[in-house]
Amino acid sequence: MKVDVLLGLQWGDEGKGKIVDVLTPDYDVIARFQGGPNAGHTLIFNGTKHVLHTIPSGVFHPDKQNVVGNGVVIDPVIFRKEIEALQARDVDPTANLCISKKAHLILPTHRLLDAASEHAKGKAKIGSTLKGIGPTYMDKTGRNGLRVGDLLSDQFAARYDALKQKHLGMLAAFGDDVPTPFSLEEAEAEWLDAVAFLKGLRLIDSEHFLNEALAAGKRILAEGAQGTMLDIDFGTYPFVTSSNTVTAGACTGLGIAPNRIGEVIGIFKAYCTRVGSGPFPTELDNAEGEALRQAGGEFGATTGRPRRTGWLDLPQLKYAAMINGATELAMMKSDVLSAFDTIQVCTHYLHDGERIDYLPFGINPDEVTPIYEEHPGWTEDLTEITEESELPQSLKDYTAMIERETGIPVSILSVGPDRKQTILRSGRK
Ligand code: IMP
Protein backbone atom coordinates (compact mmCIF):
# COMPACT_ATOMS: atom_id res chain seq x y z
CA MET A 1 0.00 0.00 0.00
CA LYS A 2 1.05 3.59 -0.63
CA VAL A 3 0.21 6.91 0.94
CA ASP A 4 -1.69 9.33 -1.29
CA VAL A 5 -1.05 13.00 -0.70
CA LEU A 6 -3.45 15.87 -1.13
CA LEU A 7 -2.00 19.38 -1.07
CA GLY A 8 -2.36 22.94 -2.29
CA LEU A 9 -0.62 24.07 -5.49
CA GLN A 10 -1.04 27.81 -4.95
CA TRP A 11 -0.86 30.10 -1.90
CA GLY A 12 -3.19 28.08 0.34
CA ASP A 13 -6.95 28.30 0.72
CA GLU A 14 -7.47 26.13 -2.35
CA GLY A 15 -10.18 24.04 -0.67
CA LYS A 16 -8.16 21.12 0.68
CA GLY A 17 -10.55 20.45 3.58
CA LYS A 18 -13.51 19.99 1.25
CA ILE A 19 -11.72 17.54 -1.03
CA VAL A 20 -10.23 15.53 1.85
CA ASP A 21 -13.75 15.19 3.21
CA VAL A 22 -15.05 14.09 -0.21
CA LEU A 23 -12.27 11.52 -0.66
CA THR A 24 -12.23 10.20 2.92
CA PRO A 25 -14.61 7.29 2.14
CA ASP A 26 -11.81 5.88 -0.09
CA TYR A 27 -9.30 5.82 2.81
CA ASP A 28 -8.87 4.31 6.27
CA VAL A 29 -6.57 6.95 7.76
CA ILE A 30 -6.30 10.72 7.22
CA ALA A 31 -3.06 12.29 8.44
CA ARG A 32 -2.05 15.96 8.69
CA PHE A 33 1.69 16.36 8.09
CA GLN A 34 2.65 20.00 8.64
CA GLY A 35 1.44 23.45 9.63
CA GLY A 36 -0.78 24.11 12.57
CA PRO A 37 -3.59 26.44 13.54
CA ASN A 38 -2.55 28.91 10.82
CA ALA A 39 -4.61 26.63 8.57
CA GLY A 40 -8.35 26.97 8.18
CA HIS A 41 -9.93 24.02 6.38
CA THR A 42 -13.58 24.67 5.60
CA LEU A 43 -16.09 21.86 5.11
CA ILE A 44 -19.75 22.34 4.28
CA PHE A 45 -22.37 19.61 4.29
CA ASN A 46 -25.98 19.15 5.45
CA GLY A 47 -26.30 22.93 5.58
CA THR A 48 -23.55 23.35 8.22
CA LYS A 49 -20.14 24.94 7.83
CA HIS A 50 -17.20 23.59 9.86
CA VAL A 51 -13.72 25.14 10.02
CA LEU A 52 -10.86 22.91 11.14
CA HIS A 53 -7.42 24.25 12.04
CA THR A 54 -5.31 21.37 13.31
CA ILE A 55 -7.63 18.37 13.24
CA PRO A 56 -7.56 16.34 10.01
CA SER A 57 -10.53 16.81 7.69
CA GLY A 58 -11.52 13.14 7.85
CA VAL A 59 -12.98 13.67 11.28
CA PHE A 60 -16.61 13.71 10.15
CA HIS A 61 -16.44 10.07 9.09
CA PRO A 62 -16.69 8.12 12.37
CA ASP A 63 -15.11 4.93 11.03
CA LYS A 64 -11.89 6.64 9.91
CA GLN A 65 -8.72 7.18 11.88
CA ASN A 66 -7.31 10.73 12.01
CA VAL A 67 -3.66 11.36 12.79
CA VAL A 68 -1.91 14.60 13.65
CA GLY A 69 1.62 13.89 12.44
CA ASN A 70 5.02 14.81 13.86
CA GLY A 71 5.41 17.65 11.34
CA VAL A 72 2.44 19.54 12.78
CA VAL A 73 2.72 22.23 15.45
CA ILE A 74 -0.08 22.24 18.03
CA ASP A 75 -1.50 25.02 20.13
CA PRO A 76 -3.23 23.05 22.92
CA VAL A 77 -5.74 25.85 23.52
CA ILE A 78 -6.89 26.00 19.91
CA PHE A 79 -6.82 22.21 19.66
CA ARG A 80 -9.06 21.85 22.68
CA LYS A 81 -11.47 24.51 21.39
CA GLU A 82 -11.65 22.74 18.06
CA ILE A 83 -12.55 19.47 19.75
CA GLU A 84 -15.12 21.14 21.99
CA ALA A 85 -16.71 22.96 19.05
CA LEU A 86 -17.10 19.61 17.27
CA GLN A 87 -18.52 17.97 20.40
CA ALA A 88 -21.05 20.80 20.67
CA ARG A 89 -22.23 19.71 17.22
CA ASP A 90 -22.48 16.09 18.30
CA VAL A 91 -19.28 15.04 16.55
CA ASP A 92 -16.84 13.44 18.97
CA PRO A 93 -13.48 13.32 17.24
CA THR A 94 -11.55 12.01 20.24
CA ALA A 95 -12.33 8.32 19.72
CA ASN A 96 -10.60 8.22 16.32
CA LEU A 97 -7.97 10.89 16.76
CA CYS A 98 -4.35 10.32 17.65
CA ILE A 99 -1.50 12.73 17.96
CA SER A 100 2.18 12.19 17.30
CA LYS A 101 4.35 12.44 20.40
CA LYS A 102 6.90 14.11 18.14
CA ALA A 103 4.62 17.02 17.15
CA HIS A 104 5.85 20.32 18.59
CA LEU A 105 3.89 22.50 20.99
CA ILE A 106 3.11 26.17 20.42
CA LEU A 107 3.61 28.08 23.69
CA PRO A 108 1.90 31.38 24.51
CA THR A 109 5.32 33.03 24.30
CA HIS A 110 5.71 31.73 20.73
CA ARG A 111 2.67 33.83 19.87
CA LEU A 112 4.18 36.85 21.59
CA LEU A 113 7.40 36.33 19.63
CA ASP A 114 5.42 36.07 16.38
CA ALA A 115 3.74 39.41 17.13
CA ALA A 116 7.04 41.05 18.12
CA SER A 117 8.83 39.76 15.04
CA GLU A 118 6.11 40.97 12.68
CA HIS A 119 6.02 44.34 14.41
CA ALA A 120 9.80 44.70 14.12
CA LYS A 121 9.67 43.98 10.40
CA GLY A 122 7.40 47.01 9.88
CA LYS A 123 6.47 47.36 6.20
CA ALA A 124 8.39 44.17 5.38
CA LYS A 125 6.09 42.07 7.58
CA ILE A 126 5.15 38.58 6.35
CA GLY A 127 1.48 39.00 7.14
CA SER A 128 1.66 36.04 9.51
CA THR A 129 -1.52 34.62 11.04
CA LEU A 130 0.21 35.34 14.39
CA LYS A 131 -0.53 31.86 15.70
CA GLY A 132 3.10 31.37 16.78
CA ILE A 133 3.92 29.06 13.86
CA GLY A 134 7.28 30.58 12.83
CA PRO A 135 8.78 30.81 16.35
CA THR A 136 7.67 27.23 17.10
CA TYR A 137 9.37 25.83 13.99
CA MET A 138 12.40 28.00 14.85
CA ASP A 139 12.59 26.28 18.23
CA LYS A 140 12.21 22.92 16.49
CA THR A 141 15.17 23.49 14.15
CA GLY A 142 17.04 25.32 16.93
CA ARG A 143 16.59 22.16 19.04
CA ASN A 144 14.86 23.95 21.86
CA GLY A 145 11.27 22.90 21.26
CA LEU A 146 8.82 21.10 23.50
CA ARG A 147 7.04 18.13 22.00
CA VAL A 148 3.74 16.45 22.76
CA GLY A 149 5.62 13.44 24.19
CA ASP A 150 7.34 15.74 26.69
CA LEU A 151 3.96 16.24 28.36
CA LEU A 152 4.38 12.78 29.81
CA SER A 153 7.69 13.62 31.48
CA ASP A 154 7.94 14.75 35.10
CA GLN A 155 10.43 17.34 33.85
CA PHE A 156 7.74 19.03 31.74
CA ALA A 157 7.02 21.96 34.07
CA ALA A 158 10.73 22.78 34.40
CA ARG A 159 11.33 22.51 30.65
CA TYR A 160 8.33 24.70 29.93
CA ASP A 161 9.60 27.30 32.35
CA ALA A 162 13.11 27.26 30.88
CA LEU A 163 11.77 27.78 27.36
CA LYS A 164 9.41 30.52 28.53
CA GLN A 165 12.31 32.34 30.23
CA LYS A 166 14.36 32.08 27.05
CA HIS A 167 11.47 33.58 25.10
CA LEU A 168 11.05 36.40 27.61
CA GLY A 169 14.72 37.24 27.13
CA MET A 170 14.22 37.31 23.37
CA LEU A 171 11.13 39.49 23.74
CA ALA A 172 13.12 41.95 25.87
CA ALA A 173 15.68 42.18 23.05
CA PHE A 174 12.94 43.53 20.75
CA GLY A 175 12.87 46.65 22.98
CA ASP A 176 10.11 48.51 24.81
CA ASP A 177 8.00 48.91 21.74
CA VAL A 178 6.86 45.25 21.52
CA PRO A 179 3.14 44.68 21.12
CA THR A 180 1.38 42.81 23.94
CA PRO A 181 -1.67 41.37 22.19
CA PHE A 182 -2.78 39.44 25.29
CA SER A 183 -1.96 38.92 28.98
CA LEU A 184 0.72 36.23 29.26
CA GLU A 185 -0.48 35.28 32.73
CA GLU A 186 -4.02 34.56 31.55
CA ALA A 187 -2.86 32.85 28.36
CA GLU A 188 -0.49 30.66 30.34
CA ALA A 189 -3.23 29.52 32.75
CA GLU A 190 -5.48 28.62 29.81
CA TRP A 191 -2.57 26.89 28.07
CA LEU A 192 -1.66 24.74 31.08
CA ASP A 193 -5.28 23.75 31.42
CA ALA A 194 -5.41 22.78 27.76
CA VAL A 195 -2.14 20.87 28.11
CA ALA A 196 -3.79 18.71 30.79
CA PHE A 197 -6.66 18.10 28.34
CA LEU A 198 -4.23 17.18 25.55
CA LYS A 199 -2.50 14.69 27.83
CA GLY A 200 -5.80 12.81 28.09
CA LEU A 201 -5.95 12.22 24.32
CA ARG A 202 -4.32 9.37 22.42
CA LEU A 203 -0.65 10.30 22.10
CA ILE A 204 1.22 7.85 19.88
CA ASP A 205 4.40 7.10 17.96
CA SER A 206 2.65 7.99 14.72
CA GLU A 207 5.48 6.90 12.42
CA HIS A 208 5.07 3.34 13.71
CA PHE A 209 1.30 3.57 13.62
CA LEU A 210 1.25 4.72 9.99
CA ASN A 211 3.82 2.24 8.71
CA GLU A 212 2.03 -0.59 10.49
CA ALA A 213 -1.24 0.57 8.94
CA LEU A 214 0.41 0.47 5.50
CA ALA A 215 1.75 -3.01 6.14
CA ALA A 216 -1.76 -4.10 7.13
CA GLY A 217 -3.08 -2.88 3.77
CA LYS A 218 -4.77 0.27 5.08
CA ARG A 219 -5.22 3.22 2.76
CA ILE A 220 -3.75 6.51 3.99
CA LEU A 221 -4.37 10.04 2.75
CA ALA A 222 -1.87 12.69 3.82
CA GLU A 223 -3.53 16.11 4.12
CA GLY A 224 -1.39 19.17 3.47
CA ALA A 225 -1.93 22.67 4.80
CA GLN A 226 -1.14 26.08 3.25
CA GLY A 227 0.15 25.72 -0.32
CA THR A 228 3.25 25.18 -2.44
CA MET A 229 3.97 28.89 -2.88
CA LEU A 230 4.09 29.18 0.94
CA ASP A 231 6.63 26.36 1.25
CA ILE A 232 9.71 27.35 3.24
CA ASP A 233 12.05 26.16 0.45
CA PHE A 234 10.09 26.56 -2.77
CA GLY A 235 7.62 29.33 -1.95
CA THR A 236 8.01 33.08 -2.36
CA TYR A 237 10.63 33.31 0.39
CA PRO A 238 10.66 35.09 2.83
CA PHE A 239 6.90 35.57 2.43
CA VAL A 240 6.14 31.97 3.26
CA THR A 241 5.16 29.80 6.19
CA SER A 242 7.79 27.88 8.17
CA SER A 243 7.22 24.30 7.03
CA ASN A 244 7.52 22.15 3.91
CA THR A 245 4.06 22.20 2.43
CA VAL A 246 5.08 20.04 -0.55
CA THR A 247 4.92 16.25 -1.03
CA ALA A 248 8.37 15.81 0.52
CA GLY A 249 6.88 17.33 3.70
CA ALA A 250 4.50 14.36 3.93
CA CYS A 251 7.55 12.07 4.20
CA THR A 252 9.25 14.04 6.96
CA GLY A 253 6.01 15.10 8.62
CA LEU A 254 4.68 11.55 8.95
CA GLY A 255 7.70 9.26 8.82
CA ILE A 256 6.73 7.82 5.44
CA ALA A 257 9.54 6.75 3.10
CA PRO A 258 9.55 8.48 -0.32
CA ASN A 259 8.97 5.18 -2.12
CA ARG A 260 5.72 4.77 -0.20
CA ILE A 261 4.13 7.85 -1.79
CA GLY A 262 1.37 6.96 -4.25
CA GLU A 263 -0.95 9.44 -5.95
CA VAL A 264 -0.41 13.15 -5.39
CA ILE A 265 -3.60 15.15 -5.75
CA GLY A 266 -2.77 18.82 -6.32
CA ILE A 267 -5.54 21.30 -5.60
CA PHE A 268 -5.82 24.69 -7.24
CA LYS A 269 -8.46 27.33 -7.72
CA ALA A 270 -9.57 28.22 -11.26
CA TYR A 271 -8.01 31.60 -10.37
CA CYS A 272 -5.49 32.60 -7.67
CA THR A 273 -5.64 34.09 -4.19
CA ARG A 274 -3.11 34.95 -1.53
CA VAL A 275 -3.37 36.22 2.07
CA GLY A 276 -0.57 38.20 3.65
CA SER A 277 2.35 39.93 1.98
CA GLY A 278 4.63 38.85 -0.85
CA PRO A 279 4.76 38.64 -4.62
CA PHE A 280 1.67 37.64 -6.58
CA PRO A 281 2.29 38.23 -10.31
CA THR A 282 -1.30 37.93 -11.55
CA GLU A 283 -2.84 39.99 -8.74
CA LEU A 284 -5.81 42.15 -9.72
CA ASP A 285 -5.48 45.14 -7.45
CA ASN A 286 -8.57 46.75 -8.99
CA ALA A 287 -12.35 46.54 -9.34
CA GLU A 288 -12.08 43.21 -11.17
CA GLY A 289 -10.09 41.80 -8.25
CA GLU A 290 -12.72 43.09 -5.85
CA ALA A 291 -15.45 41.45 -7.95
CA LEU A 292 -13.53 38.17 -7.78
CA ARG A 293 -13.13 38.55 -3.99
CA GLN A 294 -16.86 39.12 -3.53
CA ALA A 295 -17.94 36.37 -5.94
CA GLY A 296 -15.57 33.88 -4.32
CA GLY A 297 -16.16 34.97 -0.71
CA GLU A 298 -12.39 35.38 -0.48
CA PHE A 299 -11.93 36.17 3.18
CA GLY A 300 -9.58 34.14 5.42
CA ALA A 301 -11.09 31.18 7.31
CA THR A 302 -8.62 31.70 10.17
CA THR A 303 -8.10 35.46 10.34
CA GLY A 304 -11.06 36.84 8.33
CA ARG A 305 -8.62 38.98 6.32
CA PRO A 306 -9.64 39.84 2.75
CA ARG A 307 -7.65 37.67 0.37
CA ARG A 308 -5.78 39.17 -2.56
CA THR A 309 -7.18 37.86 -5.85
CA GLY A 310 -5.87 37.37 -9.39
CA TRP A 311 -6.00 35.25 -12.55
CA LEU A 312 -4.69 31.72 -12.93
CA ASP A 313 -0.92 31.63 -13.31
CA LEU A 314 0.26 28.69 -15.43
CA PRO A 315 4.05 29.06 -14.91
CA GLN A 316 3.34 29.01 -11.17
CA LEU A 317 0.94 26.04 -11.44
CA LYS A 318 3.37 24.03 -13.54
CA TYR A 319 6.17 24.77 -11.06
CA ALA A 320 4.02 23.54 -8.17
CA ALA A 321 2.98 20.41 -10.08
CA MET A 322 6.66 19.66 -10.77
CA ILE A 323 7.88 20.13 -7.19
CA ASN A 324 5.08 17.93 -5.84
CA GLY A 325 5.04 15.26 -8.52
CA ALA A 326 1.29 15.83 -8.86
CA THR A 327 -0.42 12.89 -10.57
CA GLU A 328 -3.91 14.38 -10.66
CA LEU A 329 -5.44 17.80 -10.22
CA ALA A 330 -8.54 19.09 -8.47
CA MET A 331 -9.83 22.40 -9.83
CA MET A 332 -11.81 24.37 -7.28
CA LYS A 333 -14.26 27.26 -7.47
CA SER A 334 -14.97 27.05 -11.21
CA ASP A 335 -18.44 28.36 -10.29
CA VAL A 336 -16.95 31.66 -9.09
CA LEU A 337 -15.68 32.52 -12.56
CA SER A 338 -19.30 32.49 -13.81
CA ALA A 339 -19.24 36.15 -12.76
CA PHE A 340 -16.92 36.97 -15.72
CA ASP A 341 -17.63 37.08 -19.48
CA THR A 342 -14.02 36.52 -20.33
CA ILE A 343 -11.19 35.03 -18.29
CA GLN A 344 -7.49 35.82 -18.44
CA VAL A 345 -4.82 33.19 -17.88
CA CYS A 346 -1.14 33.96 -17.47
CA THR A 347 0.76 31.64 -19.82
CA HIS A 348 4.22 33.27 -19.69
CA TYR A 349 6.20 35.93 -17.91
CA LEU A 350 8.26 38.68 -19.45
CA HIS A 351 11.55 38.36 -17.57
CA ASP A 352 14.77 40.20 -18.44
CA GLY A 353 13.24 41.05 -21.83
CA GLU A 354 12.51 37.39 -22.56
CA ARG A 355 9.23 35.48 -22.74
CA ILE A 356 9.53 32.53 -20.33
CA ASP A 357 7.09 29.86 -19.21
CA TYR A 358 8.76 28.85 -15.95
CA LEU A 359 9.15 30.38 -12.50
CA PRO A 360 12.42 32.31 -12.15
CA PHE A 361 14.20 32.97 -8.82
CA GLY A 362 12.22 36.13 -8.10
CA ILE A 363 8.67 36.92 -9.13
CA ASN A 364 8.36 40.47 -7.81
CA PRO A 365 6.71 43.07 -10.08
CA ASP A 366 10.11 44.41 -11.19
CA GLU A 367 11.23 40.88 -12.12
CA VAL A 368 8.30 39.43 -14.03
CA THR A 369 5.37 40.84 -16.03
CA PRO A 370 2.62 38.32 -16.68
CA ILE A 371 1.59 37.71 -20.29
CA TYR A 372 -2.06 36.75 -20.58
CA GLU A 373 -4.21 34.75 -22.94
CA GLU A 374 -7.94 35.47 -23.01
CA HIS A 375 -10.48 32.66 -22.72
CA PRO A 376 -14.24 32.79 -23.11
CA GLY A 377 -15.99 32.52 -19.75
CA TRP A 378 -19.01 30.46 -18.80
CA THR A 379 -21.71 32.62 -17.39
CA GLU A 380 -23.99 29.70 -16.53
CA ASP A 381 -24.65 28.87 -12.88
CA LEU A 382 -22.66 25.68 -12.29
CA THR A 383 -23.70 25.05 -8.73
CA GLU A 384 -26.49 22.57 -9.55
CA ILE A 385 -24.47 20.56 -12.06
CA THR A 386 -23.75 16.99 -11.01
CA GLU A 387 -22.58 15.38 -14.25
CA GLU A 388 -19.45 16.16 -16.21
CA SER A 389 -21.44 16.04 -19.46
CA GLU A 390 -23.60 18.99 -18.31
CA LEU A 391 -20.63 21.35 -17.91
CA PRO A 392 -20.51 24.31 -20.30
CA GLN A 393 -18.21 23.81 -23.30
CA SER A 394 -16.04 26.83 -22.38
CA LEU A 395 -15.34 25.29 -18.94
CA LYS A 396 -14.51 21.95 -20.59
CA ASP A 397 -12.11 23.83 -22.90
CA TYR A 398 -10.56 25.71 -19.95
CA THR A 399 -10.01 22.40 -18.14
CA ALA A 400 -8.55 20.76 -21.26
CA MET A 401 -6.16 23.71 -21.65
CA ILE A 402 -4.90 23.21 -18.07
CA GLU A 403 -4.47 19.48 -18.65
CA ARG A 404 -2.53 20.20 -21.86
CA GLU A 405 -0.29 22.78 -20.18
CA THR A 406 0.47 20.72 -17.07
CA GLY A 407 0.31 17.25 -18.62
CA ILE A 408 -1.79 16.14 -15.63
CA PRO A 409 -5.47 15.12 -15.63
CA VAL A 410 -7.99 17.29 -13.81
CA SER A 411 -9.83 14.47 -12.06
CA ILE A 412 -11.97 16.55 -9.71
CA LEU A 413 -13.99 19.66 -10.47
CA SER A 414 -15.61 21.60 -7.66
CA VAL A 415 -18.64 23.70 -8.56
CA GLY A 416 -19.64 24.99 -5.12
CA PRO A 417 -18.64 24.84 -1.46
CA ASP A 418 -20.84 21.89 -0.45
CA ARG A 419 -19.54 18.34 -0.32
CA LYS A 420 -22.19 17.45 -2.91
CA GLN A 421 -21.05 20.12 -5.38
CA THR A 422 -18.13 18.02 -6.57
CA ILE A 423 -17.74 16.29 -9.92
CA LEU A 424 -15.44 13.29 -9.97
CA ARG A 425 -14.50 13.13 -13.63
CA SER A 426 -14.36 9.99 -15.65
CA GLY A 427 -10.99 8.36 -15.23
CA ARG A 428 -10.72 9.08 -11.48
CA LYS A 429 -9.71 5.85 -9.82
P1 IMP B 1 2.30 31.99 9.29
O1 IMP B 1 2.40 30.60 8.79
O2 IMP B 1 1.12 32.21 10.19
O3 IMP B 1 3.57 32.50 9.90
O4 IMP B 1 2.05 32.95 8.04
C1 IMP B 1 3.01 33.07 6.99
C2 IMP B 1 2.32 33.40 5.68
O5 IMP B 1 1.55 32.27 5.25
C3 IMP B 1 1.33 34.57 5.76
O6 IMP B 1 1.33 35.24 4.52
C4 IMP B 1 -0.01 33.87 5.96
O7 IMP B 1 -1.09 34.65 5.50
C5 IMP B 1 0.19 32.64 5.10
N1 IMP B 1 -0.60 31.50 5.57
C6 IMP B 1 -0.37 30.74 6.66
N2 IMP B 1 -1.28 29.78 6.75
C7 IMP B 1 -2.10 29.92 5.70
C8 IMP B 1 -3.23 29.18 5.23
O8 IMP B 1 -3.65 28.17 5.81
N3 IMP B 1 -3.82 29.65 4.09
C9 IMP B 1 -3.34 30.73 3.41
N4 IMP B 1 -2.29 31.43 3.81
C10 IMP B 1 -1.66 31.03 4.94
Side-chain angles (χ1 to χ4, degrees):
M1 274 293 171
K2 300 241 173 186
V3 176
D4 291 346
V5 184
L6 183 144
L7 42 69
L9 295 181
Q10 295 164 324
W11 280 274
D13 307 316
E14 295 93 350
K16 295 172 287 291
K18 169 180 163 166
I19 298 301
V20 171
D21 173 57
V22 167
L23 298 183
T24 294
D26 296 343
Y27 293 91
D28 302 298
V29 181
I30 310 299
R32 270 281 302 270
F33 60 87
Q34 45 70 231
N38 48 351
H41 291 180
T42 305
L43 294 80
I44 301 178
F45 52 87
N46 303 338
T48 308
K49 174 174 163 176
H50 304 271
V51 181
L52 298 173
H53 299 288
T54 325
I55 293 180
S57 302
V59 80
F60 296 99
H61 301 256
D63 52 335
K64 309 296 175 180
Q65 189 67 47
N66 289 276
V67 177
V68 178
N70 56 279
V72 175
V73 289
I74 299 176
D75 183 329
V77 175
I78 296 180
F79 201 75
R80 178 187 187 163
K81 282 188 184 151
E82 243 183 292
I83 290 180
E84 288 173 350
L86 287 167
Q87 286 169 334
R89 290 175 170 189
D90 288 333
V91 179
D92 186 6
T94 54
N96 292 326
L97 178 67
C98 43
I99 304 157
S100 170
K101 287 186 192 163
K102 293 193 169 79
H104 279 246
L105 292 169
I106 302 175
L107 273 55
T109 38
H110 281 132
R111 289 196 287 133
L112 288 177
L113 283 167
D114 217 358
S117 162
E118 279 287 76
H119 180 74
K121 282 184 196 287
K123 279 198 176 126
K125 73 174 183 183
I126 309 290
S128 163
T129 58
L130 300 179
K131 302 291 178 195
I133 307 292
T136 305
Y137 279 115
M138 277 169 69
D139 269 339
K140 176 177 178 173
T141 50
R143 293 154 294 177
N144 300 308
L146 273 180
R147 299 184 292 175
V148 167
D150 295 327
L151 296 177
L152 309 173
S153 153
D154 54 9
Q155 300 294 306
F156 180 74
R159 292 194 51 200
Y160 166 76
D161 200 53
L163 190 52
K164 180 181 103 176
Q165 294 307 331
K166 181 170 189 289
H167 290 165
L168 291 177
M170 289 162 75
L171 283 164
F174 277 101
D176 295 335
D177 189 26
V178 285
T180 41
F182 54 85
S183 142
L184 179 56
E185 210 175 308
E186 282 170 26
E188 188 172 53
E190 199 184 7
W191 191 83
L192 290 170
D193 215 37
V195 153
F197 173 84
L198 194 60
K199 256 174 96 171
L201 299 178
R202 205 167 146 219
L203 313 181
I204 62 162
D205 295 314
S206 57
E207 63 277 33
H208 288 300
F209 176 88
L210 292 168
N211 282 287
E212 280 162 20
L214 277 180
K218 302 266 193 240
R219 294 156 305 169
I220 300 177
L221 180 65
E223 173 181 9
Q226 291 81 52
T228 303
M229 299 314 288
L230 293 172
D231 180 87
I232 182 76
D233 282 280
F234 299 105
T236 49
Y237 192 89
F239 300 101
V240 292
T241 191
S242 305
S243 61
N244 281 118
T245 61
V246 296
T247 304
C251 294
T252 56
L254 294 176
I256 297 292
N259 63 357
R260 304 310 299 268
I261 299 292
E263 303 299 324
V264 178
I265 306 153
I267 303 204
F268 68 103
K269 283 182 194 168
Y271 49 95
C272 282
T273 63
R274 158 161 221 171
V275 218
S277 328
F280 180 2
T282 60
E283 180 167 16
L284 290 165
D285 193 9
N286 55 20
E288 221 168 14
E290 183 56 34
L292 196 47
R293 179 158 37 251
Q294 294 303 332
E298 295 296 354
F299 298 89
T302 297
T303 58
R305 290 180 290 178
R307 295 180 185 140
R308 299 157 65 194
T309 53
W311 297 119
L312 187 68
D313 183 336
L314 287 175
Q316 179 278 310
L317 191 65
K318 287 192 279 188
Y319 179 77
M322 171 185 81
I323 296 291
N324 290 299
T327 58
E328 46 183 303
L329 300 175
M331 183 161 86
M332 311 301 287
K333 291 197 147 180
S334 331
D335 53 301
V336 171
L337 289 184
S338 296
F340 296 86
D341 292 331
T342 54
I343 298 165
Q344 308 293 324
V345 174
C346 166
T347 58
H348 294 80
Y349 298 136
L350 192 63
H351 170 66
D352 280 346
E354 257 187 78
R355 187 182 158 96
I356 60 167
D357 65 356
Y358 61 87
L359 215 68
F361 177 72
I363 55 168
N364 284 303
D366 58 336
E367 293 166 307
V368 295
T369 308
I371 300 173
Y372 292 102
E373 196 177 81
E374 189 167 283
H375 289 259
W378 48 88
T379 41
E380 295 91 332
D381 176 13
L382 307 181
T383 55
E384 301 291 325
I385 295 182
T386 53
E387 297 295 328
E388 186 182 354
S389 57
E390 295 165 15
L391 294 170
Q393 189 56 44
S394 47
L395 173 55
K396 286 184 187 162
D397 293 344
Y398 190 75
T399 310
M401 177 273 295
I402 291 166
E403 293 185 320
R404 216 169 34 246
E405 287 284 337
T406 57
I408 305 167
V410 175
S411 59
I412 302 172
L413 261 173
S414 174
V415 292
D418 195 279
R419 196 190 253 178
K420 288 197 199 126
Q421 294 168 307
T422 314
I423 298 172
L424 300 182
R425 296 182 76 211
S426 45
R428 169 140 235 291
K429 290 162 262 27

